[in-house]
């Protein structure tokens, strides 16, 4: 009977062979995708890439990457679902001041609500109308809402000035007893500008109502949050009566402000190194 003694070198070779096999099996188990760097990015930088119409969070590997450089990253598990709070809202509708009165999400939600809403829509991959869209359409959501909001403010103020600068006219009404009553009324031109301004404000209000309602419904669906009040019309009621609080609540639920500080003037309301939707 012959006995074969294995040296330490034999065991090292065996370990390396086993390790190589494990790596190969792991590579097969984890789907890898190729992405192209949008710019020169340092190691550890996080951005989102478009992979077959899906936004994939990508972390730049060791050593960083150069613009237009192709590199491979693991494809996230689509079956994992949302990683944030599911089944219920993270906090209450009226917890707007939970992060402080000067927090950007509160300031935008109160004084520039269309921009705050646009940031939530971008996180949820919705178009400027609040409907699901492709990557190209979603990338323009914030810009489109900003243009719409600025145009509304400019036109509304223009019509307001035109109404106020038109001269008033006197009209005479004669009562049954023959008494003449004089009354100041707007001129036909002023009445026209007033009607146009009222129509403009009504249209913009209806747009915000519809967009807020659709966005809240999308957030609830994504995070499996059931309606708690006003069954069947909770999203509409919150958008109509508590729109500012509702937008602020969606902003807090769709990100983690303790990890990623808020930013007022970005598409998602988050810093550039944060994923589009972080929870």
């Amino acid at each position: 009977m012959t006995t074969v003694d294995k040296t330490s070198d034999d065991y090292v070779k065996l370990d390396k062979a086993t390790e190589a096999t494990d790596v190969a099996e792991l590579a097969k188990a984890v789907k890898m995708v190729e992405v192209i760097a949008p710019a020169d990015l340092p190691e550890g930088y996080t951005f989102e890439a478009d992979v077959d119409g899906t936004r994939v969070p990508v972390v730049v590997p060791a050593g960083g990457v150069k613009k237009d450089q192709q590199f491979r990253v693991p494809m996230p598990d689509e079956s994992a679902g949302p990683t944030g709070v599911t089944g219920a809202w993270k906090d209450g509708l009226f917890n707007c001041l939970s992060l402080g009165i000067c927090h950007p999400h509160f300031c935008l939600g109160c004084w520039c609500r269309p921009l705050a809403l646009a940031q939530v829509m971008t996180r949820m991959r919705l178009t400027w109308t609040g409907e699901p869209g492709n990557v190209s359409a979603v990338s323009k959501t914030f810009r489109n809402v900003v243009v719409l909001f600025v145009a509304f403010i400019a036109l509304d103020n223009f019509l307001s000035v035109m109404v106020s600068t038109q001269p008033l006219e006197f009209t005479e009404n004669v009562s049954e007893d023959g008494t003449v009553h004089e009354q100041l009324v707007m001129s036909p031109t002023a009445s026209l500008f007033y009607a146009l301004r009222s129509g403009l404000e009504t249209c913009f209000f209806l747009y915000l109502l519809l967009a807020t309602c659709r966005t809240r419904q999308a957030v609830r669906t994504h995070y499996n949050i059931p309606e708690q009040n006003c069954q069947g019309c909770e999203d509409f009621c919150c958008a109509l009566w508590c729109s500012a609080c509702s937008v602020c609540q969606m902003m807090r639920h769709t990100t983690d402000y303790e990890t990623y500080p808020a930013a007022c003037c970005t598409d998602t309301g988050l810093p550039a190194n944060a994923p589009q939707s972080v929870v």
Side-chain angles (χ1 to χ4, degrees):
M1 182 175 180
T2 304
T3 302
V4 179
D5 295 330
K6 292 185 178 181
T7 65
S8 60
D9 291 340
D10 293 329
Y11 284 109
V12 170
K13 292 179 181 179
L14 181 60
D15 291 340
K16 289 184 177 179
T18 302
E19 182 180 354
T21 302
D22 293 341
V23 171
E25 292 179 353
L26 181 62
K28 293 180 180 180
V30 179
K31 181 181 178 181
M32 304 294 290
V33 294
E34 287 191 355
V35 298
I36 301 176
D40 295 342
L41 302 174
E43 174 183 342
Y45 187 93
T46 303
F47 69 98
E48 287 198 340
D50 177 24
V51 179
D52 297 331
T54 302
R55 303 293 292 182
V56 177
V58 175
V59 179
V60 176
V65 293
K66 298 295 184 180
K67 183 178 181 180
D68 297 328
Q69 176 183 340
Q70 291 187 351
F71 59 100
R72 294 169 63 83
V73 295
M75 185 72 172
D77 183 8
E78 296 181 356
S79 63
T83 58
V85 178
T86 59
W89 290 101
K90 184 183 296 184
D91 54 18
L93 181 64
F94 302 110
N95 285 19
C96 302
L97 297 176
S98 59
L99 299 173
I101 194 172
C102 294
H103 195 271
H105 100 285
F106 175 73
C107 295
L108 277 181
C110 288
W111 294 294
C112 291
R113 188 165 66 256
L115 305 190
L117 180 62
Q119 292 175 343
V120 177
M121 289 193 289
T122 303
R123 295 178 192 175
M124 298 305 300
R125 300 173 179 84
L126 304 175
T127 66
W128 67 279
T129 61
E131 297 179 323
N134 56 36
V135 175
S136 176
V138 172
S139 66
K140 300 174 184 176
T141 295
F142 185 76
R143 184 198 66 183
N144 290 343
V145 174
V146 169
V147 171
L148 181 64
F149 186 42
V150 171
F152 164 74
I153 292 177
L155 188 55
D156 186 62
N157 279 277
F158 169 76
L159 293 175
S160 177
V161 171
M162 295 304 296
V163 171
S164 62
T165 55
Q166 296 300 315
L168 296 176
E169 297 181 353
F170 282 97
T171 60
E172 294 184 352
N173 295 321
V174 181
S175 60
E176 294 181 355
D177 61 359
T179 305
V180 178
H181 301 278
E182 291 186 344
Q183 183 179 4
L184 277 175
V185 297
M186 290 190 297
S187 65
T189 303
S191 298
L192 174 62
F193 284 126
Y194 183 82
L196 290 175
R197 187 188 181 198
S198 298
L200 175 69
E201 292 177 345
T202 300
C203 290
F204 192 72
F205 168 78
L206 292 176
Y207 161 72
L208 285 181
L209 178 64
L210 177 63
T212 303
C213 186
R214 285 178 171 177
T215 304
R216 193 176 192 275
Q217 185 177 33
V219 172
R220 286 198 310 101
T221 301
H222 183 74
Y223 292 99
N224 301 315
I225 303 174
E227 290 181 312
Q228 298 177 341
N229 303 289
C230 303
Q231 296 295 322
C233 60
E234 181 182 280
D235 299 322
F236 174 79
C237 291
C238 287
L240 179 62
W241 304 113
C242 307
S243 56
C245 294
S246 182
V247 171
C248 288
Q249 184 186 40
M250 290 189 287
M251 294 183 77
R252 294 191 303 275
H253 196 91
T254 54
T255 191
D256 181 5
Y257 283 123
E258 294 182 0
T259 302
Y260 297 99
C264 286
C265 301
T266 63
D267 291 0
T268 61
L270 300 169
N273 66 325
Q276 179 171 311
S277 181
V278 299
V279 294

